[in-house]
Structures are given as structure tokens and as C-alpha cells.
Amino acid sequence: VGEKPLLPGNEEHPEEGYRSRYSHEKESARPGYYEVWLEDDSIHAELTATLRTGWHRYTYPKGADARLIVDMSPSIHHRNHPITKLRALNDSVLVGMREVRGWAPRRSIYFYAVCSSPFKASLYANAEQPVVEDSVTSRDAKAVLDFYDISDNGQVMIKVGISAVDEEGARKNLMAEAADWSFDTKRELADAAWNKKLGCIEIETNDAEHRTIFYTS
């Protein structure tokens, strides 16, 4: 909510970056769904997925200066700062690419993201270098989406298609699996898909801890 630095900051002083404090008491995770209360900005963040799309739902405080920072630099593999790209197609669609250099070097993952509320996009080559074009290619591309005309309940939804081929493949995956805006339906479908797979195996034990370990692994 409002202006934020474009670097995450550290855990000891999250106010120096865009990260937020949270507690496990206000966090929930299960197959196909994740939610957390972001304490610093009073935002309820939720995530679900289909096979090739990711769904975000953020509930901002009423009347808040609602923004989203898209930071392409973080990764579990911090190797040589791979190339990243971001491009705003219009006031509701953001597309991009990131090189992946983990177990299979020089792969590219593309995404096509559609937002339920219109936005004004500001693009950056890094945390301190804004660009005036509608696209940016760098090793640390970032975007700030400043939402407007948000629904009365303060919710903004974002559905993101991904592809290992190109942006068009990501768009087609999104259209095939996420044509509507039913976040809760997608969450229920994800839950059912996980239960179907997990239900293929049933263990017999009176040890609750062992049962928990099995089904959460």
C-alpha cells in the first residue's frame, strides 16, 4: 500500500524494503491453496493454481493506494543474474520472461498475466533505474502496478499463464484453463485434484504424527 522501495529489505528491518511482517497464526497452507495476512499493509493475500496457471487474490484496505510490485530477480538459484523481461501490453495485461539456470541451464519461462482491475504500470531496469518505454529487458527487471477502479470489496485478482515456449503459449494456457474469474472454483478444483492423487494411497497406522508426515510429504 503506497510507495515502497523496490528492494525486499531484510527480515530484521522489513520497513526498509517491500517485504511485510506476518505470523503463522494468520497463515494457512494446504495443497492447492495458500493465504497469509500481511501485517504491515493489512492485505489479505491468497494463491491457488491450475496445471499451467497461477491465481492471485489480494484484498486491500478500503480506499487504499493499492499497488503490486513484480520483482523478477529473486530465485532459489542466484547464479549470474539471468536475463529478465517485462512488458505492459495494456492497462490490464503484463507479460514477461525469466531465464532459469538451475538443473537445466538456459531455459526460459514465459508468463502472461491478466488483472481484474486496470493499472498504471511503471517499469524499472533495476531498483533505481526507471524506463519510459512499455517494456524492459535487464538482469533485474521490475514493475510497479498502480491499481485503480478497484471493486468495492477491495479485491484485485490476477491470473497468470506460464509456458516454456513463448508468451503466446502462456496466453493460450491461460485462456484454456482460466477463462473466467472464479478464484474459489479454481481453489476447489485444485483441492479435489490433490485429494484424488493422495487418495490413491491409504496408510494404516494409529500414529498421528506418522500419518501427518506421510500426507504432507
Side-chain angles (χ1 to χ4, degrees), residues 88-194:
L89 295 187
N90 50 48
D91 65 356
S92 63
V93 178
L94 185 73
V95 300
M97 181 277 289
R98 190 186 198 285
E99 285 187 349
V100 182
R101 297 182 178 180
W103 55 269
R106 300 215 175 268
R107 291 181 297 128
S108 296
I109 302 298
Y110 298 86
F111 77 87
Y112 188 100
V114 180
C115 301
S116 63
S117 297
F119 58 74
K120 178 183 180 298
S122 301
L123 302 181
Y124 296 80
N126 53 52
E128 299 177 350
Q129 185 181 351
V131 298
V132 296
E133 296 85 2
D134 60 2
S135 65
V136 59
T137 299
S138 76
R139 298 191 182 278
D140 295 294
K142 305 177 193 300
V144 178
L145 307 184
D146 192 347
F147 295 111
Y148 59 92
D149 196 20
I150 296 176
S151 62
D152 292 338
N153 60 11
Q155 287 187 348
V156 173
M157 283 189 288
I158 306 164
K159 48 188 182 181
V160 187
I162 62 171
S163 170
V165 180
D166 54 21
E167 291 175 5
E168 179 63 11
R171 185 192 69 82
K172 288 181 178 179
N173 286 337
L174 184 67
M175 294 301 102
E177 298 183 10
D180 59 16
W181 285 100
S182 181
F183 181 98
D184 291 322
T185 297
K186 294 299 185 291
R187 180 182 63 184
E188 292 169 1
L189 290 173
D191 193 55
W194 276 96

Side-chain angles (χ1 to χ4, degrees), residues 22-33:
Y22 74 99
S23 70
H24 292 305
E25 286 72 27
K26 293 185 178 180
E27 178 190 38
S28 175
R30 64 179 185 268
Y33 180 67

Side-chain angles (χ1 to χ4, degrees), residues 10-25:
N10 59 57
E11 294 182 24
E12 290 74 23
H13 300 284
E15 69 279 356
E16 296 178 358
Y18 60 67
R19 73 170 68 214
S20 174
R21 298 172 180 86
Y22 74 99
S23 70
H24 292 305
E25 286 72 27

Side-chain angles (χ1 to χ4, degrees), residues 1 37-38 41-46 56-68 115-118 146-158:
V1 171
W37 177 257
L38 302 178
D41 292 293
S42 299
I43 297 170
H44 183 207
E46 300 172 272
H56 305 231
R57 183 164 66 184
Y58 302 108
T59 304
Y60 293 89
K62 187 174 181 179
D65 189 8
R67 291 189 171 99
L68 183 75
C115 301
S116 63
S117 297
D146 192 347
F147 295 111
Y148 59 92
D149 196 20
I150 296 176
S151 62
D152 292 338
N153 60 11
Q155 287 187 348
V156 173
M157 283 189 288
I158 306 164

Side-chain angles (χ1 to χ4, degrees), residues 4-5 87 105 118 143 148 150 192 202:
K4 295 285 184 181
R87 181 162 59 105
Y148 59 92
I150 296 176
E202 183 175 352

